[in-house]
Amino acid sequence: MFKEQIKSWYKKNEPAIKETVDTIVFVVVMVIIIRFFVGEIRWIPSGSMRPTLLEGDRIFVERFSRFYKTPERGDVMVFYPPSTELQNTPLKLFARLTGFFCKDIAYIKRVVGMPGDKFEIKFDKTGKGMVYINDKPYEEKYIKSVYDYSICTEAMYCGPFTIPEGEYFMMGDNRGNSQDSRYWGTLKEDRFIGKAVFLFWPFNRVKTLR
């Protein structure tokens, strides 16, 4: 009796059910296409990119440029750090492509060292920190303070060393409060998600990012 009622209900509502399913499938496919080929919205959870980005900021991360160019020095990039194990099961891939139930941890930092660069962090007698690229000081106007650098230890990656091909040295603008390449080493190119290009919330801080 119950099965007959279900069949009867389904026949009466079949057109509406099919339309709903088609709509859901269409929306999911469009979300995947937009996130994979165009971009996505992210929010900033920490102060590691201060003063450029603050906690709670909303940004747009574009993904289309990765199909025809590699990151440039100074780009603000979203990526999966080496500590994030990326599983490629159908469920995990679906989560990353759509953003639904995705628990993979992503970071946002700035590209400071490029493939082939000789990289080093030096400190002067006053405690001022400075990045050296190919033995030349690299001026960075966007960082919070040259005096906020965390002091390098033997366990950190402060150089001098040459960055391998296909890898990048990532750093937060808040040099005293950022878990970046100084702690976990260079980042492989295939870990990048996209480039942060626009801060759209809050409205009083709307700006392009560079």
Side-chain angles (χ1 to χ4, degrees), residues 47-48 109 119-124 127-131 143-159 169 171-183:
S48 68
K109 309 290 179 190
F119 182 91
E120 186 175 8
I121 298 173
K122 297 182 180 180
F123 295 85
D124 65 16
K128 174 184 175 181
M130 177 72 70
V131 168
I143 66 175
K144 185 177 180 181
S145 172
V146 294
Y147 295 100
D148 280 346
Y149 271 77
S150 298
I151 300 299
C152 290
T153 67
E154 292 184 2
M156 293 171 66
Y157 298 85
C158 293
F169 199 92
M171 299 183 75
D173 292 353
N174 186 357
R175 298 292 159 83
N177 184 26
S178 176
Q179 289 291 320
D180 51 37
S181 286
R182 291 171 293 174
Y183 297 91

Side-chain angles (χ1 to χ4, degrees), residues 77-159:
M77 303 293 295
V78 176
F79 58 91
Y80 296 116
S83 59
T84 298
E85 183 180 352
L86 299 179
Q87 298 179 17
N88 291 319
T89 63
L91 185 59
K92 288 290 186 178
L93 284 172
F94 177 81
R96 285 202 296 274
L97 288 173
T98 62
F100 301 147
F101 311 109
C102 183
K103 296 182 179 181
D104 292 326
I105 296 175
Y107 285 1
I108 180 167
K109 309 290 179 190
R110 193 181 295 271
V111 176
V112 178
M114 299 285 289
D117 282 347
K118 179 183 177 183
F119 182 91
E120 186 175 8
I121 298 173
K122 297 182 180 180
F123 295 85
D124 65 16
K125 295 180 180 179
T126 68
K128 174 184 175 181
M130 177 72 70
V131 168
Y132 279 71
I133 303 292
N134 300 321
D135 297 318
K136 296 181 180 180
Y138 177 50
E139 296 290 338
E140 301 178 277
K141 297 181 179 180
Y142 45 75
I143 66 175
K144 185 177 180 181
S145 172
V146 294
Y147 295 100
D148 280 346
Y149 271 77
S150 298
I151 300 299
C152 290
T153 67
E154 292 184 2
M156 293 171 66
Y157 298 85
C158 293

Side-chain angles (χ1 to χ4, degrees), residues 5-83:
Q5 290 178 338
I6 293 295
K7 289 181 180 179
S8 176
W9 177 86
Y10 180 80
K11 287 181 179 180
K12 290 180 180 179
N13 296 278
E14 185 175 2
I17 292 173
K18 287 184 176 180
E19 183 177 351
T20 300
V21 171
D22 288 344
T23 300
I24 292 173
V25 171
F26 174 78
V27 170
V28 170
V29 170
M30 289 305 300
V31 167
I32 291 174
I33 291 173
I34 291 171
R35 284 179 63 93
F36 187 78
F37 292 102
V38 181
E40 60 186 70
I41 292 172
R42 296 249 175 182
W43 70 282
I44 305 303
S46 73
S48 68
M49 283 296 292
R50 281 178 170 266
T52 306
L53 296 170
L54 308 181
E55 299 91 323
D57 284 351
R58 265 61 172 179
I59 59 173
F60 177 74
V61 180
E62 64 88 359
R63 304 190 68 176
F64 54 86
S65 64
R66 64 197 173 98
F67 294 105
Y68 62 87
K69 63 181 293 189
T70 56
E72 299 177 354
R73 198 187 317 277
D75 286 349
V76 178
M77 303 293 295
V78 176
F79 58 91
Y80 296 116
S83 59

Side-chain angles (χ1 to χ4, degrees), residues 49 51-54 57-59 197-210:
M49 283 296 292
T52 306
L53 296 170
L54 308 181
D57 284 351
R58 265 61 172 179
I59 59 173
V197 294
F198 190 66
L199 188 160
F200 66 89
W201 180 266
F203 289 136
N204 64 335
R205 299 189 61 248
V206 169
K207 61 180 178 181
T208 56
L209 299 173
R210 181 68 176 103

